[in-house]
Amino acid sequence: MRWKRFWLMLAPSLAALAVLAAGMAQGAVPASFAVSGRQIKVSAAKLSGRGVGIVPGVVRSMDGRQHVVLHLSLRTAQVYGLCQSAEVDTPLGPFTVRLGTRDREKPSQVSRLSISATSLGADVGLGSVVLNRDAGVLGTESVLKGKRGDYGVGVLTFSARNVTADAWMVMGGSFMVDGLSVAIGRDVRPCF
């Protein structure tokens, strides 16, 4: 009875996720989502592209607490080994939900993506970097603007390997993902 109740609760969500995943994989559905109440993990084996903007900000979680973040925006990127994971509570206890690409050698195409992160790690190469640029006028580097007078970073071209981020929110953007994989379970590993 307990399992039946669990699957009845989970089935509509999985069906909606499957439709969304299929649309995202074919490039027909833009991905726009947020995770509230807990952080998510986002990682990539490598990525490269044009236009990075970084501005400070604050996000509010479901419990009303405010969290200081860096809003990182990517104008366009090719991403290899894309992964996103989160721990979710179920009637059967905590499970991990993981979305990722099956083939780490095929790039996913990403545009106009914004991540609100509390930590970010990577091996990076940057071209045409401007530190302490006014966040309100980042220009062509960024798809995300901050408040005028705030600290900002603008980067024209970039490449990165071994990317990891703890984030409160991933939003906007469009994804072209070839071979999306979705898994949930106690034995599903987080992205990092």
Side-chain angles (χ1 to χ4, degrees), residues 16-30:
L17 186 58
V19 171
L20 177 61
M24 284 173 55
Q26 296 172 15
V29 178

Side-chain angles (χ1 to χ4, degrees), residues 1-12 91-92:
M1 183 66 169
R2 196 169 154 193
W3 279 101
K4 185 177 181 182
R5 217 174 34 225
F6 170 72
W7 286 112
L8 286 174
M9 286 177 22
L10 191 58
L92 302 176

Side-chain angles (χ1 to χ4, degrees), residues 12-166:
S13 299
L14 288 176
L17 186 58
V19 171
L20 177 61
M24 284 173 55
Q26 296 172 15
V29 178
S32 181
F33 55 92
V35 176
S36 300
R38 65 184 67 213
Q39 287 192 317
I40 62 174
K41 294 184 179 294
V42 181
S43 68
K46 62 182 178 177
L47 61 102
S48 62
R50 298 184 62 82
V52 173
I54 302 173
V55 298
V58 175
V59 296
R60 186 182 304 269
S61 56
M62 290 296 290
D63 60 8
R65 292 180 20 213
Q66 293 185 329
H67 309 275
V68 176
V69 297
L70 285 174
H71 295 300
L72 170 74
S73 68
L74 305 174
R75 183 168 290 283
T76 61
Q78 284 195 322
V79 185
Y80 294 82
L82 180 63
C83 181
Q84 182 273 314
S85 65
E87 188 175 284
V88 297
D89 292 323
T90 73
L92 302 176
F95 280 69
T96 298
V97 176
R98 180 177 169 137
L99 291 84
T101 55
R102 286 191 296 265
D103 187 347
R104 293 171 57 94
E105 299 304 314
K106 288 185 179 178
S108 299
Q109 305 296 325
V110 179
S111 65
R112 304 184 64 80
L113 178 69
S114 296
I115 301 172
S116 299
T118 56
S119 70
L120 179 66
D123 303 319
V124 298
L126 306 173
S128 299
V129 180
V130 181
L131 299 176
N132 202 24
R133 185 160 185 183
D134 188 309
V137 292
L138 278 176
T140 61
E141 299 96 346
S142 178
V143 295
L144 181 68
K145 302 286 189 253
K147 289 190 253 176
R148 287 186 75 82
D150 277 356
Y151 175 85
V153 174
V155 179
L156 188 58
T157 61
F158 65 93
S159 63
R161 292 179 294 113
N162 307 316
V163 180
T164 59
D166 288 302

